[in-house]
Amino acid sequence: MSPIAVPSSYEELRAVAIDARDAAIPPEYRLPKTLYPLPKNVSGVLESSQILDDTELKIVDLTATQLRDAIAQRRYTAVQVAKAYCKAAAVAQQVTNCTTDLFQAEALERASWLDAELERTGKVVGPLHGVPVSIKDHIDIKGHDSPSGFLSLRGRLIASEDAQLVALLRGAGAVFYVRWWLTAETTNPQSLMHLETSCYLGSTVNPFNTDLTAGGSSGGEGALIGMKGSCLGIGTDIGGSIRSPAAACGIYGFKPSIRRLPMVGCQMPVGPAGYEGILCTHGPMGRSIEDLELYMKLVADSKPWLRDPDLHVKPWRPSELGQRKIRIGIMQTDGVVTPVAPIQRALSAAVEKLNQSSDFEVVPYQPILGKEAWEIISKLYWPDKGKMVFDHIAKSGEPVLPLTEWIISHSKDNTGTLEESLAMVDRRDQFRAAVAAHWQKSGIDVLLTPVGPTPAPKLETAKYWNYTSFWNLANYPAAIFPTGLTVDPKVDGGVYEANNADEAWIKETFSADGSVGAPLSLQLVGYIGHEEDTLAAAKKVVQCLAG
């Protein structure tokens, strides 16, 4: 008997991983050859592929909230829904490279049980009965791997139990069917720390323009939902990793303040355990503000603090902002990098509509501490100068991706001493106090801002985080919503003036012609801990802009 060949080189290990992922797609879900070469805008391939029938296309067109109601009303069975989304996820993977695993058999078994329970009892199992939920790769699902974007960890992080948030969703009747990845920092990006999504599995691309990134690090989730391969997904955010892909892919996303949602069972193999200089939070990504509220209320109502004592004891409460006039600040720039023309156009169009509404008082908001915010947070990310990241990478021989090298380079002057760590945390706390004082002085309820200086950047160019990471450092909740506008070279041309090195990079890497079709999204920020108010205000803003 011949010995079994064991892959040893990086390229061999990578090929095994990609082949295993691709083998999970059934032959009948593969795109017909007649569709190739694919267009740059692949968002319509789901319909043109003819892999989904008319009923399935109607199913995947629903928001999570609408789908929940349709299943409860028995318009669709959980099995019908699971099949539709497995097909849609398979299509999304083939055109955007957004998934790490597709477990159809497990999903259909779960869906069949849910249908039987509804038939037997006449009641839904929970508020997400039969709703498919996609999960970012570094969040544990029992029996499945969580390599977190590192080839060397593939097969080494098989979960023995569900992450707390997964257990909550399972108890609510959710169906898990797919895992997705971050960016370069791999499917999850290689270090879990890119505003793109690239790793040993390749790069996740934008459904509306495949020359552009789907964002990161939750870019797989962004692309999957943008392609209607998911209606509700769970991402994580420590610098923009929910908000960047939500904006890039024209969907909705929400980053709460830390310690509002549980992180038990989320793998974080990129920094030392116990470090609290800057913390990550998970949050929902979906098709509507109602989907985000559905998820946040579900988790809060489960009393997650009973299992995770690190959380704040905060039941979900009704918000008064839905019942009164909202004072909304407008921040057109972070004071460091001026947004490009299409971003300015989207913000101006939104402000014009808000000014016409009696529901809002619109006031200007002066940015503060933009440059200082990045200096603080970029050093707080890497107390070990990226040692854990580089160790994981070295074990498989995979190359260090440029964006991994770039983000970790900001810690090159860190000494790693206790005194330095304490000093940086002190700077963080002083920053938070200053931002809070400025916010209260402004008298605003919420703040409308860009999500970044550009729409979805070209691949391997996403190097300006401050419009999102600022609010991680401040620890304020923030919601992302699409405006319905896209980049149009006919109106978004012109010369971008660069006044500093960051703006020079934007000028070098962005063009309206190269970004045609990219969604234009905005960010609504609320005060620390005010998740309910932030989402209530976001709902009214979205309704106003749609009117």
Short mmCIF file of all heavy atoms in Angstrom, two decimals, residues 253-301:
data_model
loop_
_atom_site.label_atom_id
_atom_site.label_comp_id
_atom_site.label_asym_id
_atom_site.label_seq_id
_atom_site.Cartn_x
_atom_site.Cartn_y
_atom_site.Cartn_z
N GLY A 253 -25.53 47.43 8.89
CA GLY A 253 -24.68 46.82 9.91
C GLY A 253 -24.70 47.65 11.18
O GLY A 253 -25.00 48.85 11.15
N PHE A 254 -24.36 47.00 12.30
CA PHE A 254 -24.40 47.72 13.57
C PHE A 254 -23.29 47.26 14.49
O PHE A 254 -23.12 46.05 14.73
CB PHE A 254 -25.74 47.49 14.27
CG PHE A 254 -25.91 48.30 15.54
CD1 PHE A 254 -25.89 49.69 15.51
CD2 PHE A 254 -26.11 47.66 16.76
CE1 PHE A 254 -26.04 50.43 16.66
CE2 PHE A 254 -26.26 48.40 17.92
CZ PHE A 254 -26.24 49.79 17.88
N LYS A 255 -22.53 48.23 14.98
CA LYS A 255 -21.51 47.99 16.01
C LYS A 255 -22.00 48.56 17.32
O LYS A 255 -22.10 49.79 17.49
CB LYS A 255 -20.19 48.66 15.64
CG LYS A 255 -19.09 48.45 16.69
CD LYS A 255 -18.03 49.53 16.65
CE LYS A 255 -18.43 50.80 17.35
NZ LYS A 255 -18.49 50.67 18.84
N PRO A 256 -22.31 47.73 18.32
CA PRO A 256 -22.68 48.27 19.63
C PRO A 256 -21.45 48.68 20.42
O PRO A 256 -20.31 48.41 20.01
CB PRO A 256 -23.40 47.09 20.29
CG PRO A 256 -22.75 45.88 19.68
CD PRO A 256 -22.39 46.27 18.26
N SER A 257 -21.67 49.33 21.55
CA SER A 257 -20.57 49.56 22.48
C SER A 257 -20.12 48.21 23.03
O SER A 257 -20.88 47.24 23.06
CB SER A 257 -21.03 50.46 23.63
OG SER A 257 -21.42 51.73 23.17
N ILE A 258 -18.85 48.14 23.45
CA ILE A 258 -18.35 46.88 23.99
C ILE A 258 -19.10 46.52 25.28
O ILE A 258 -19.65 47.37 25.95
CB ILE A 258 -16.83 46.92 24.23
CG1 ILE A 258 -16.49 48.01 25.26
CG2 ILE A 258 -16.09 47.12 22.93
CD1 ILE A 258 -15.04 47.98 25.72
N ARG A 259 -19.10 45.23 25.55
CA ARG A 259 -19.71 44.63 26.73
C ARG A 259 -21.24 44.72 26.72
O ARG A 259 -21.88 44.57 27.75
CB ARG A 259 -19.14 45.24 28.02
CG ARG A 259 -17.67 44.93 28.23
CD ARG A 259 -17.19 45.29 29.64
NE ARG A 259 -15.86 44.73 29.87
CZ ARG A 259 -14.72 45.40 29.74
NH1 ARG A 259 -14.76 46.67 29.35
NH2 ARG A 259 -13.57 44.82 29.96
N ARG A 260 -21.83 44.94 25.56
CA ARG A 260 -23.29 44.86 25.44
C ARG A 260 -23.69 43.48 24.94
O ARG A 260 -24.75 42.96 25.30
CB ARG A 260 -23.81 45.95 24.48
CG ARG A 260 -25.35 46.04 24.45
CD ARG A 260 -25.88 46.66 25.71
NE ARG A 260 -27.31 46.41 25.94
CZ ARG A 260 -28.29 47.25 25.61
NH1 ARG A 260 -28.02 48.39 25.01
NH2 ARG A 260 -29.54 46.97 25.92
N LEU A 261 -22.84 42.88 24.08
CA LEU A 261 -23.11 41.56 23.51
C LEU A 261 -21.99 40.61 23.89
O LEU A 261 -20.84 41.01 24.03
CB LEU A 261 -23.23 41.65 21.99
CG LEU A 261 -24.33 42.54 21.42
CD1 LEU A 261 -24.32 42.47 19.91
CD2 LEU A 261 -25.69 42.13 21.96
N PRO A 262 -22.29 39.31 24.03
CA PRO A 262 -21.28 38.35 24.49
C PRO A 262 -20.24 38.02 23.42
O PRO A 262 -20.56 37.92 22.25
CB PRO A 262 -22.11 37.11 24.85
CG PRO A 262 -23.31 37.21 23.96
CD PRO A 262 -23.61 38.67 23.84
N MET A 263 -19.01 37.83 23.87
CA MET A 263 -17.92 37.42 22.98
C MET A 263 -17.38 36.04 23.35
O MET A 263 -16.37 35.60 22.78
CB MET A 263 -16.79 38.45 23.04
CG MET A 263 -17.11 39.79 22.38
SD MET A 263 -17.30 39.68 20.59
CE MET A 263 -15.60 39.38 20.09
N VAL A 264 -18.02 35.35 24.29
CA VAL A 264 -17.57 34.01 24.68
C VAL A 264 -17.68 33.07 23.49
O VAL A 264 -18.74 32.94 22.88
CB VAL A 264 -18.42 33.47 25.85
CG1 VAL A 264 -18.02 32.03 26.18
CG2 VAL A 264 -18.26 34.36 27.08
N GLY A 265 -16.56 32.44 23.13
CA GLY A 265 -16.56 31.52 22.00
C GLY A 265 -16.14 32.16 20.69
O GLY A 265 -16.26 31.53 19.64
N CYS A 266 -15.66 33.38 20.75
CA CYS A 266 -15.11 34.04 19.56
C CYS A 266 -13.59 33.92 19.62
O CYS A 266 -12.97 34.45 20.55
CB CYS A 266 -15.52 35.50 19.49
SG CYS A 266 -17.29 35.78 19.32
N GLN A 267 -13.01 33.23 18.66
CA GLN A 267 -11.56 33.04 18.65
C GLN A 267 -10.86 34.35 18.30
O GLN A 267 -11.23 35.02 17.34
CB GLN A 267 -11.19 31.96 17.63
CG GLN A 267 -11.77 30.59 17.91
CD GLN A 267 -11.17 29.95 19.14
OE1 GLN A 267 -10.06 30.26 19.55
NE2 GLN A 267 -11.92 29.03 19.76
N MET A 268 -9.83 34.69 19.07
CA MET A 268 -9.06 35.91 18.80
C MET A 268 -7.57 35.59 18.90
O MET A 268 -6.87 36.06 19.83
CB MET A 268 -9.44 37.01 19.79
CG MET A 268 -10.86 37.54 19.62
SD MET A 268 -11.14 38.41 18.06
CE MET A 268 -10.19 39.90 18.32
N PRO A 269 -7.05 34.79 17.97
CA PRO A 269 -5.65 34.35 18.07
C PRO A 269 -4.65 35.37 17.52
O PRO A 269 -3.69 35.03 16.83
CB PRO A 269 -5.65 33.08 17.22
CG PRO A 269 -6.66 33.35 16.16
CD PRO A 269 -7.73 34.19 16.81
N VAL A 270 -4.89 36.65 17.82
CA VAL A 270 -4.02 37.69 17.27
C VAL A 270 -3.38 38.56 18.34
O VAL A 270 -2.63 39.49 18.03
CB VAL A 270 -4.79 38.58 16.27
CG1 VAL A 270 -5.24 37.77 15.08
CG2 VAL A 270 -5.97 39.28 16.93
N GLY A 271 -3.69 38.30 19.59
CA GLY A 271 -3.12 39.10 20.66
C GLY A 271 -3.21 38.38 21.98
O GLY A 271 -3.95 37.40 22.12
N PRO A 272 -2.45 38.82 22.97
CA PRO A 272 -2.39 38.12 24.26
C PRO A 272 -3.71 38.13 25.00
O PRO A 272 -4.42 39.14 25.03
CB PRO A 272 -1.31 38.89 25.02
CG PRO A 272 -1.26 40.24 24.38
CD PRO A 272 -1.59 40.02 22.95
N ALA A 273 -4.06 37.00 25.61
CA ALA A 273 -5.27 36.90 26.42
C ALA A 273 -5.18 37.84 27.61
O ALA A 273 -4.12 38.04 28.19
CB ALA A 273 -5.45 35.46 26.90
N GLY A 274 -6.32 38.44 27.95
CA GLY A 274 -6.36 39.32 29.10
C GLY A 274 -6.11 40.78 28.78
O GLY A 274 -6.33 41.64 29.63
N TYR A 275 -5.66 41.08 27.57
CA TYR A 275 -5.37 42.46 27.21
C TYR A 275 -6.69 43.20 26.93
O TYR A 275 -7.55 42.71 26.20
CB TYR A 275 -4.48 42.51 25.97
CG TYR A 275 -4.15 43.91 25.52
CD1 TYR A 275 -3.35 44.74 26.31
CD2 TYR A 275 -4.63 44.41 24.32
CE1 TYR A 275 -3.03 46.03 25.90
CE2 TYR A 275 -4.32 45.69 23.90
CZ TYR A 275 -3.52 46.50 24.70
OH TYR A 275 -3.22 47.77 24.29
N GLU A 276 -6.85 44.39 27.50
CA GLU A 276 -8.09 45.14 27.36
C GLU A 276 -7.86 46.57 26.87
O GLU A 276 -8.71 47.43 27.08
CB GLU A 276 -8.86 45.15 28.69
CG GLU A 276 -9.33 43.76 29.12
CD GLU A 276 -10.37 43.81 30.23
OE1 GLU A 276 -10.62 44.91 30.75
OE2 GLU A 276 -10.91 42.76 30.56
N GLY A 277 -6.74 46.79 26.23
CA GLY A 277 -6.46 48.14 25.74
C GLY A 277 -7.50 48.62 24.75
O GLY A 277 -7.96 49.76 24.80
N ILE A 278 -7.88 47.74 23.82
CA ILE A 278 -8.96 48.03 22.87
C ILE A 278 -9.64 46.70 22.59
O ILE A 278 -9.00 45.71 22.25
CB ILE A 278 -8.43 48.70 21.58
CG1 ILE A 278 -9.58 49.20 20.72
CG2 ILE A 278 -7.48 47.80 20.81
CD1 ILE A 278 -10.25 50.44 21.27
N LEU A 279 -10.95 46.65 22.78
CA LEU A 279 -11.68 45.40 22.71
C LEU A 279 -12.59 45.35 21.49
O LEU A 279 -13.01 46.37 20.95
CB LEU A 279 -12.52 45.20 23.97
CG LEU A 279 -11.74 45.05 25.28
CD1 LEU A 279 -12.71 44.87 26.45
CD2 LEU A 279 -10.76 43.90 25.22
N CYS A 280 -12.89 44.12 21.10
CA CYS A 280 -13.76 43.83 19.95
C CYS A 280 -15.18 43.60 20.44
O CYS A 280 -15.41 43.25 21.60
CB CYS A 280 -13.22 42.58 19.26
SG CYS A 280 -14.08 42.12 17.74
N THR A 281 -16.13 43.83 19.58
CA THR A 281 -17.51 43.45 19.85
C THR A 281 -18.08 42.78 18.62
O THR A 281 -17.62 43.02 17.50
CB THR A 281 -18.38 44.67 20.21
OG1 THR A 281 -19.73 44.23 20.48
CG2 THR A 281 -18.42 45.68 19.07
N HIS A 282 -19.05 41.90 18.81
CA HIS A 282 -19.74 41.38 17.64
C HIS A 282 -21.00 42.20 17.41
O HIS A 282 -21.38 43.04 18.23
CB HIS A 282 -20.05 39.88 17.80
CG HIS A 282 -21.33 39.55 18.50
ND1 HIS A 282 -21.41 39.22 19.83
CD2 HIS A 282 -22.62 39.47 18.03
CE1 HIS A 282 -22.66 38.95 20.16
NE2 HIS A 282 -23.41 39.11 19.10
N GLY A 283 -21.63 42.01 16.26
CA GLY A 283 -22.84 42.75 15.94
C GLY A 283 -23.49 42.22 14.68
O GLY A 283 -22.89 41.45 13.92
N PRO A 284 -24.73 42.63 14.43
CA PRO A 284 -25.49 42.10 13.30
C PRO A 284 -25.25 42.84 11.99
O PRO A 284 -24.94 44.03 11.98
CB PRO A 284 -26.94 42.28 13.76
CG PRO A 284 -26.89 43.53 14.61
CD PRO A 284 -25.55 43.49 15.30
N MET A 285 -25.42 42.10 10.90
CA MET A 285 -25.39 42.67 9.55
C MET A 285 -26.61 42.10 8.83
O MET A 285 -26.89 40.90 8.92
CB MET A 285 -24.10 42.29 8.84
CG MET A 285 -22.85 42.77 9.58
SD MET A 285 -21.30 42.09 8.95
CE MET A 285 -21.15 42.94 7.39
N GLY A 286 -27.36 42.96 8.12
CA GLY A 286 -28.59 42.46 7.53
C GLY A 286 -29.11 43.32 6.40
O GLY A 286 -28.37 44.10 5.79
N ARG A 287 -30.42 43.21 6.15
CA ARG A 287 -31.05 43.87 5.01
C ARG A 287 -31.89 45.09 5.40
O ARG A 287 -32.47 45.74 4.56
CB ARG A 287 -31.96 42.89 4.28
CG ARG A 287 -31.31 41.57 3.90
CD ARG A 287 -30.78 41.60 2.48
NE ARG A 287 -30.45 40.26 2.07
CZ ARG A 287 -31.31 39.40 1.53
NH1 ARG A 287 -32.56 39.75 1.34
NH2 ARG A 287 -30.92 38.19 1.19
N SER A 288 -32.01 45.36 6.71
CA SER A 288 -32.83 46.48 7.17
C SER A 288 -32.45 46.84 8.59
O SER A 288 -31.83 46.04 9.30
CB SER A 288 -34.33 46.12 7.11
OG SER A 288 -34.63 45.13 8.09
N ILE A 289 -32.84 48.05 9.01
CA ILE A 289 -32.64 48.43 10.40
C ILE A 289 -33.44 47.51 11.31
O ILE A 289 -33.00 47.16 12.41
CB ILE A 289 -33.07 49.90 10.63
CG1 ILE A 289 -32.15 50.85 9.84
CG2 ILE A 289 -33.04 50.25 12.12
CD1 ILE A 289 -30.72 50.89 10.32
N GLU A 290 -34.62 47.08 10.86
CA GLU A 290 -35.44 46.17 11.66
C GLU A 290 -34.71 44.86 11.94
O GLU A 290 -34.84 44.28 13.02
CB GLU A 290 -36.77 45.89 10.94
CG GLU A 290 -37.75 47.05 10.93
CD GLU A 290 -37.41 48.12 9.90
OE1 GLU A 290 -36.52 47.88 9.05
OE2 GLU A 290 -38.02 49.21 9.94
N ASP A 291 -33.92 44.38 10.97
CA ASP A 291 -33.13 43.17 11.18
C ASP A 291 -32.10 43.37 12.29
O ASP A 291 -31.87 42.48 13.12
CB ASP A 291 -32.41 42.77 9.89
CG ASP A 291 -33.34 42.27 8.81
OD1 ASP A 291 -34.53 42.03 9.10
OD2 ASP A 291 -32.89 42.13 7.66
N LEU A 292 -31.48 44.55 12.30
CA LEU A 292 -30.48 44.84 13.33
C LEU A 292 -31.15 44.91 14.70
O LEU A 292 -30.62 44.39 15.70
CB LEU A 292 -29.78 46.16 13.02
CG LEU A 292 -29.19 46.33 11.62
CD1 LEU A 292 -28.50 47.68 11.49
CD2 LEU A 292 -28.23 45.19 11.27
N GLU A 293 -32.30 45.56 14.78
CA GLU A 293 -33.05 45.64 16.04
C GLU A 293 -33.50 44.27 16.50
O GLU A 293 -33.45 43.95 17.70
CB GLU A 293 -34.26 46.54 15.87
CG GLU A 293 -33.96 48.02 15.82
CD GLU A 293 -35.21 48.86 15.77
OE1 GLU A 293 -36.14 48.52 15.00
OE2 GLU A 293 -35.29 49.86 16.50
N LEU A 294 -33.95 43.45 15.56
CA LEU A 294 -34.39 42.09 15.88
C LEU A 294 -33.29 41.33 16.59
O LEU A 294 -33.52 40.69 17.63
CB LEU A 294 -34.80 41.37 14.59
CG LEU A 294 -35.11 39.87 14.68
CD1 LEU A 294 -36.36 39.64 15.52
CD2 LEU A 294 -35.29 39.28 13.27
N TYR A 295 -32.09 41.41 16.05
CA TYR A 295 -30.97 40.68 16.64
C TYR A 295 -30.58 41.25 18.00
O TYR A 295 -30.40 40.52 18.97
CB TYR A 295 -29.76 40.73 15.70
CG TYR A 295 -28.58 39.98 16.27
CD1 TYR A 295 -28.50 38.59 16.16
CD2 TYR A 295 -27.56 40.64 16.96
CE1 TYR A 295 -27.44 37.89 16.71
CE2 TYR A 295 -26.50 39.96 17.49
CZ TYR A 295 -26.44 38.58 17.37
OH TYR A 295 -25.39 37.89 17.93
N MET A 296 -30.44 42.56 18.08
CA MET A 296 -30.02 43.17 19.33
C MET A 296 -31.01 42.89 20.46
O MET A 296 -30.61 42.57 21.59
CB MET A 296 -29.85 44.68 19.15
CG MET A 296 -28.68 45.09 18.27
SD MET A 296 -27.08 44.61 18.95
CE MET A 296 -27.05 45.54 20.49
N LYS A 297 -32.28 42.99 20.18
CA LYS A 297 -33.30 42.73 21.21
C LYS A 297 -33.30 41.26 21.61
O LYS A 297 -33.42 40.92 22.80
CB LYS A 297 -34.68 43.13 20.70
CG LYS A 297 -35.79 43.00 21.73
CD LYS A 297 -37.12 43.49 21.20
CE LYS A 297 -38.18 43.53 22.30
NZ LYS A 297 -38.40 42.22 22.95
N LEU A 298 -33.14 40.38 20.63
CA LEU A 298 -33.10 38.94 20.91
C LEU A 298 -31.97 38.61 21.89
O LEU A 298 -32.18 37.90 22.88
CB LEU A 298 -32.91 38.16 19.61
CG LEU A 298 -32.58 36.67 19.74
CD1 LEU A 298 -33.75 35.92 20.33
CD2 LEU A 298 -32.19 36.10 18.38
N VAL A 299 -30.79 39.12 21.62
CA VAL A 299 -29.65 38.81 22.48
C VAL A 299 -29.82 39.45 23.86
O VAL A 299 -29.59 38.81 24.89
CB VAL A 299 -28.33 39.25 21.83
CG1 VAL A 299 -27.15 38.97 22.76
CG2 VAL A 299 -28.12 38.52 20.50
N ALA A 300 -30.23 40.71 23.89
CA ALA A 300 -30.41 41.38 25.19
C ALA A 300 -31.49 40.70 26.03
O ALA A 300 -31.33 40.54 27.25
CB ALA A 300 -30.75 42.85 24.97
N ASP A 301 -32.57 40.27 25.38
CA ASP A 301 -33.66 39.62 26.11
C ASP A 301 -33.27 38.26 26.67
O ASP A 301 -33.92 37.73 27.57
CB ASP A 301 -34.89 39.46 25.20
CG ASP A 301 -35.62 40.77 24.98
OD1 ASP A 301 -35.29 41.77 25.67
OD2 ASP A 301 -36.51 40.82 24.11
#
